Amino acid sequence: LLKKHACVACHQQAARVVGPSWNDIAQKYAARADRVAYLAGKIKAGGQGVWGQIPMPAQPGVPEADVQAMAGWLAAGAK
């Protein structure tokens, strides 16, 4: 899914590219009880300022099932 939806253009497993690594995202939100819902919302709506000034563009065209699967993977530690 990460390749299918071009997430790999800005994110990688362990290294910061344009955006934070998936490992860093998973670690930052590990203690959040609502992390799946929060991360799904960030994928869909995008945002700016949480990880720096480069914005994360909104991804409204990504199917909800794919958003939930990616958010769940991140919330489970990105492994």
Side-chain angles (χ1 to χ4, degrees):
L1 292 177
L2 301 169
K3 288 179 185 176
K4 176 183 175 182
H5 297 298
C7 304
V8 296
C10 296
H11 303 278
Q12 295 296 311
Q13 186 68 44
R16 181 178 180 90
V17 182
V18 175
S21 73
W22 293 311
N23 290 344
D24 288 344
I25 295 167
Q27 183 178 23
K28 181 172 185 156
Y29 299 108
R32 249 186 111 122
D34 68 339
R35 64 189 171 274
V36 173
Y38 176 80
L39 292 166
K42 294 301 272 184
I43 292 167
K44 286 296 253 189
Q48 182 176 357
V50 175
W51 294 92
Q53 292 307 307
I54 298 173
M56 159 87 179
Q59 305 297 317
V62 176
E64 187 61 29
D66 290 358
V67 169
Q68 291 298 318
M70 291 185 290
W73 176 75
L74 285 165
K79 303 208 185 276

